[in-house]
Amino acid sequence: MFKLADKYRAAQFGALGESEDRLKFIMDETSRCIKCYQCIENCPICYCVECSTRKPHLVTPGQVPPPFMFHLIRFSHISDSCVNCGQCEELCAMDIPNALFMHSLQVEMEKMFGFAPGVNMDLPILALVEEPAERKRLSDTGDDQIYNIF
Ligand code: SF4
Ligand code: SF4
């Protein structure tokens, strides 16, 4: 099963292309987004009370499809800790392969930092650069584990 999974993953990542081609592919696919928020509201990793995608200085309110920044915020906040549960893809109103995109980023992040989400119990890398209020919220739990604040 592991070998089969590796084989399919290699094929799916290969279809994304590399470098700028991959970025363009992701930008093209996400340009169908209708900003329904299913990918954010159902992600088990998202925990910010004030979601950055709802901040007007980052993502223009009322604009559909939203600017690519909407997706960049998801990628930058989740890519270190995505557990590839598939919810953001399964529930996407526009059938955008969100989980595939995020998982492809997560694999690169894991190569860089060695953090394996769902396995490592340390604080994820990007948690260290998140907003102070969210860091404080996590810290106030008396723990350093994100899953303890749900
Ligand atoms: S696949 Fe990753 S980004 Fe998508 S909902 Fe699951 S944990 Fe979140
Ligand atoms: S679930 Fe799909 S359509 Fe909805 S906000 Fe996320 S990417 Fe956009």
Side-chain angles (χ1 to χ4, degrees):
M1 289 302 289
F2 282 127
K3 282 183 186 167
L4 195 60
D6 286 344
K7 184 178 158 192
Y8 277 99
R9 180 162 53 186
Q12 289 184 346
F13 282 7
L16 293 177
E18 296 286 340
S19 310
E20 287 180 24
D21 289 340
R22 181 173 294 194
L23 176 62
K24 184 173 181 320
F25 185 80
I26 292 174
M27 289 181 80
D28 285 348
E29 285 288 308
T30 54
S31 68
R32 303 198 298 275
C33 175
I34 58 169
K35 212 177 172 188
C36 70
Y37 275 96
Q38 291 300 307
C39 56
I40 290 170
E41 291 176 0
N42 293 287
C43 175
I45 304 302
C46 283
Y47 65 93
C48 293
V49 176
E50 288 185 33
C51 180
S52 295
T53 62
R54 294 182 189 272
K55 293 179 179 169
H57 63 283
L58 294 175
V59 179
T60 312
Q63 188 178 324
V64 176
F68 190 54
M69 177 59 83
F70 178 87
H71 304 281
L72 282 178
I73 289 170
R74 285 193 66 246
F75 296 147
S76 65
H77 284 194
I78 307 295
S79 59
D80 67 337
S81 47
C82 169
V83 289
N84 199 20
C85 72
Q87 291 298 291
C88 56
E89 186 165 324
E90 179 76 18
L91 299 169
C92 176
M94 299 306 289
D95 288 332
I96 296 168
N98 289 308
L100 174 62
F101 296 158
M102 195 68 86
H103 183 49
S104 71
L105 292 168
Q106 183 275 315
V107 167
E108 295 302 319
M109 293 286 283
E110 187 171 333
K111 282 184 206 161
M112 281 191 273
F113 299 106
F115 181 86
V119 177
N120 284 70
M121 291 294 112
D122 305 320
L123 200 63
I125 304 300
L126 294 176
L128 302 174
V129 294
E130 283 169 1
E131 298 164 48
E134 298 301 339
R135 286 208 305 271
K136 181 174 183 313
R137 183 168 170 255
L138 181 63
S139 168
D140 286 349
T141 64
D143 204 324
D144 63 353
Q145 300 300 316
I146 286 175
Y147 55 74
N148 283 341
I149 70 171
F150 288 108

